Amino acid sequence: MRGFRVHVVSDVHGNAKDLARAGDGADALICLGDLVLFLDYADHARGIFPDLFGKENATRLVELRTARRFEEARAFGASLWAGLDRGPAVESAVRKQYAELFAAFPTPTYATYGNVDMPDLWREYAGAGTTVLDGERVEIGGRVFGFVGGGLRTPMRTPYEISDEEYAAKIEAVGEVDVLCTHIPPEVPDLVYDTVARRFERGSRALLDAIRRTRPRYALFGHVHQPLVSRMRIGSTECVNVGHFAGSGRPFALEWTSAAAGESAG
């Protein structure tokens, strides 16, 4: 009986080198978004923002955001952007990253958007071997996978944030699946608190309700880079944060045969 193996990554944030190897030994790769690196909270010299404005300004922005002084952070950023045409500058930088990152995807790859991604550009860079899904289902190796991308609205105002109602509608459209793949986690304190950024990120209550109601085998997500816990069970569902790829370069592996007893993950 042949086994099937998928590797899952999220929060790639510019790590094209490891992304090119992420599918090695797997039948398919799944990516749960945040390909773009706008600002690295660990290394303030990396990302679109420091490329445009320098490391010192990036450090200042991180300090303001970490202290939850969002209005000051927004005003500080606006003062820097005042001398630039923001839209074209950001799009040009994102395009450069997307060209490298989408070229690193193996065939087949199944992907959905993160909150810092720009969905309109994905159509241009996703090749024939990459299937982009959002509020949709697909069968992979005999299992049904559901995908919901993006994030919920926050004071950070990242590119792909939507209302709670829009997000809930996408969760509803996915319905019952074996593996529920989202960018953001369910609204559980231990899963949404980032221990380095020192703040609660936004998780989805609709996602939590769907997990309890439909009981998928797995719920996989990213978004929170250093959560209090990286996995927990909600009812019969194993919930796993796979949002460590930018730093670790290691995908999460999910392997199964047609018999449930043969399923393993790690």
Side-chain angles (χ1 to χ4, degrees):
M1 188 177 297
R2 182 183 180 278
F4 200 92
R5 181 182 179 95
V6 298
H7 287 175
V8 189
V9 302
S10 184
D11 299 81
V12 175
H13 293 303
N15 189 351
K17 179 181 177 181
D18 288 321
L19 185 62
R21 299 191 293 262
D24 290 356
D27 295 284
L29 178 70
I30 290 173
C31 179
L32 304 184
D34 271 11
L35 296 181
V36 172
L37 178 61
F38 188 77
L39 177 57
D40 190 330
Y41 277 58
D43 182 353
H44 303 164
R46 296 182 65 242
I48 293 172
F49 190 90
D51 285 350
L52 291 172
F53 303 116
K55 181 180 178 180
E56 287 187 7
N57 285 324
T59 297
R60 178 58 178 160
L61 185 65
V62 169
E63 289 173 348
L64 290 171
R65 287 181 172 179
T66 301
R68 302 187 64 80
R69 292 157 61 184
F70 294 120
E71 290 301 326
E72 289 181 65
R74 202 155 24 244
F76 176 66
S79 70
L80 296 174
W81 285 107
L84 284 177
D85 191 345
R86 179 168 183 158
V90 171
E91 182 173 322
S92 176
V94 170
R95 283 182 177 278
K96 183 178 179 181
Q97 290 190 17
Y98 277 169
E100 183 178 14
L101 292 160
F102 277 93
F105 278 146
T107 298
T109 291
Y110 301 88
T112 196
Y113 317 111
N115 61 292
V116 303
D117 286 312
M118 299 175 69
D120 289 346
L121 296 183
W122 280 40
R123 302 184 189 97
E124 297 183 39
Y125 293 96
T130 299
T131 302
V132 179
L133 303 122
D134 189 16
E136 299 164 281
R137 302 148 54 101
V138 67
E139 185 177 307
I140 306 173
R143 296 275 188 261
V144 178
F145 286 68
F147 291 80
V148 175
L152 297 174
R153 289 177 181 154
T154 71
M156 305 287 280
R157 298 182 183 177
T158 51
Y160 190 41
E161 295 181 355
I162 61 176
S163 70
D164 290 56
E165 292 75 19
E166 289 175 277
Y167 196 88
K170 291 197 293 184
I171 292 289
E172 186 68 23
V174 165
E176 294 187 13
V177 295
D178 295 306
V179 184
L180 185 52
C181 298
T182 60
H183 177 67
I184 62 174
E187 183 58 59
V188 176
D190 285 354
L191 296 177
V192 300
Y193 185 76
D194 191 305
T195 60
V196 173
R198 293 181 297 182
R199 65 169 180 260
F200 287 97
E201 302 287 357
R202 284 215 65 192
S204 169
R205 179 71 192 191
L207 173 58
L208 176 60
D209 291 344
I211 290 170
R212 288 172 170 163
R213 184 178 68 254
T214 66
R215 296 180 294 178
R217 296 169 184 265
Y218 291 93
L220 308 178
F221 47 85
H223 188 54
V224 182
H225 298 170
Q226 298 92 12
L228 281 170
V229 297
S230 60
R231 61 196 299 167
M232 67 165 52
R233 294 193 74 83
I234 296 176
S236 60
T237 301
E238 186 73 13
C239 299
V240 185
N241 183 311
V242 300
H244 49 70
F245 187 77
S248 72
R250 296 189 303 273
F252 174 77
L254 189 61
E255 189 170 12
W256 67 89
T257 63
S258 59
E263 190 165 334
S264 63

